[in-house]
Amino acid sequence: MNPKVIVANWKMNKSFEEAEDLISEIAEAIDQWTLQTQVVICPPFPYLELGSDHADESQFSCGAQNCSEFDNGAYTGEVSAEMLEGLEVDFCIVGHSERRAYFNETNVQIAKKIDQLLKRTIIPIVCCGEKLEERNNNNHFDIVKSQIEETLFHLDNDMMENVIIAYEPIWAIGTGVNATPAQAQEMHAFIRSLIEKKYGTQIAYNLPILYGGSCNPMNALELFTQNDIDGGLIGGASLKAENFLSIIEAAETVIKEN
Ligand code: 13P
């Protein structure tokens, strides 16, 4: 069983003041715990400095939600991996289904973003997941396989050791309908088997595969007790300290029981 990683994806939410309050509340609580879980908070870009300043003195790390596929240059509105590195950001979500759907991100672009991040020693949290229609047509394994292969399989072993994968079935995101623990486990085991075939047992075993999609304090414990679920990528439930802290507690419970 891998160490649990719990990532907050705030998406495009919170005023600056609300962000300050939420980060402080989470930091104050977890700093009283002997924490074994790796906690990562990914606020919107304008709050990254706030996040990384707090992260310096707390038990969580700061992550971004996206980065540019390009090096610095004339790309108005973009944020480079080098800039994230300058802010001491340690993680970055890439290839979220909302970016694929609303900003037409492709696997090819996501692969370039992953390269940019790894060049700067920022850990990419690479999202994959199928639409409901694809699952209903029994295409979900093929879709996830091509997302994994096309975004990650150009990496060599050393690079692959610094990657996190998040399986987020699109039909479960923000709907209140999570994948059942059995559905999630089945896909996570499939993803791990793909990694194992290409990179070997050691890398596959160590690679954290997170589940995302309506993960909340009620279902977190059962999801995290599945063999191949190494933590969660949390949207809505990360926007309230109480809920996010309960999810971290669920991860801690699973670690202690193993
Ligand atoms: P919800 O937890 O709100 O379903 O969002 C999941 C997600 O998209 C995290 O990246």
Side-chain angles (χ1 to χ4, degrees):
M1 175 103 29
N2 282 310
K4 299 290 164 188
V5 182
I6 303 294
V7 183
N9 176 8
W10 286 7
K11 307 191 180 182
M12 197 171 73
N13 289 296
K14 301 288 176 193
S15 67
F16 187 76
E17 275 186 4
E18 288 166 346
E20 275 184 312
D21 290 347
L22 181 53
I23 288 191
S24 305
E25 211 178 325
I26 292 164
E28 275 166 29
I30 62 175
D31 287 345
Q32 296 182 21
W33 302 347
T34 327
L35 199 65
Q36 288 178 270
T37 307
Q38 166 84 64
V39 176
V40 183
I41 299 178
C42 303
F45 283 135
Y47 312 152
L48 280 177
E49 191 172 1
L50 168 77
S52 72
D53 283 352
H54 268 81
D56 273 351
E57 290 161 17
S58 177
Q59 293 197 72
F60 75 89
S61 299
C62 184
Q65 299 173 17
N66 181 33
C67 77
S68 174
E69 70 199 80
F70 303 115
D71 287 327
N72 290 344
Y75 302 103
T76 303
E78 288 288 275
V79 174
S80 70
E82 186 180 353
M83 293 168 186
L84 297 180
E85 183 188 34
L87 286 172
E88 295 177 22
V89 164
D90 294 319
F91 295 81
C92 182
I93 298 168
V94 273
H96 193 281
S97 59
E98 288 151 15
R99 296 214 55 89
R100 292 175 189 260
Y102 306 139
F103 305 98
N104 303 316
E105 267 187 27
T106 63
N107 288 334
V108 172
Q109 286 172 302
I110 294 161
K112 290 185 187 160
K113 292 180 183 209
I114 293 168
D115 292 343
Q116 290 288 346
L117 291 166
L118 289 171
K119 241 184 358 191
R120 303 284 165 191
T121 62
I122 297 170
I123 296 182
I125 301 167
V126 183
C127 301
C128 59
E130 81 284 356
K131 298 180 185 139
L132 184 59
E133 189 190 338
E134 290 161 344
R135 178 167 279 265
N136 288 340
N137 292 334
N138 214 22
N139 274 338
H140 46 308
F141 292 113
D142 286 345
I143 290 291
V144 169
K145 183 169 186 261
S146 57
Q147 289 170 339
I148 298 284
E149 286 178 350
E150 290 169 29
T151 58
L152 286 168
F153 276 15
H154 63 290
L155 298 178
D156 62 20
N157 284 30
D158 287 350
M159 291 298 189
M160 197 64 186
E161 281 173 356
N162 297 309
V163 166
I164 293 177
I165 292 176
Y167 169 59
E168 299 206 304
I170 295 168
W171 47 273
I173 295 178
T175 59
V177 181
N178 58 290
T180 64
Q183 284 173 322
Q185 166 57 29
E186 185 185 34
M187 184 59 86
H188 282 226
F190 173 72
I191 294 169
R192 206 180 301 283
S193 74
L194 295 174
I195 306 298
E196 186 171 10
K197 266 185 228 146
K198 169 93 176 152
Y199 293 97
T201 308
Q202 185 73 22
I203 289 180
Y205 182 83
N206 288 333
L207 187 137
I209 306 177
L210 314 183
Y211 169 77
S214 297
C215 183
N216 62 39
M218 308 288 284
N219 58 28
L221 188 63
E222 204 188 343
L223 285 161
F224 300 161
T225 44
Q226 305 301 308
N227 266 341
D228 289 288
I229 301 186
D230 306 311
L233 178 51
I234 318 298
S238 72
L239 296 173
K240 258 192 154 182
E242 187 190 343
N243 291 339
F244 190 57
L245 291 167
S246 296
I247 293 172
I248 299 168
E249 275 184 301
E252 290 285 295
T253 304
V254 178
I255 295 173
K256 285 187 188 109
E257 283 172 1
N258 275 279

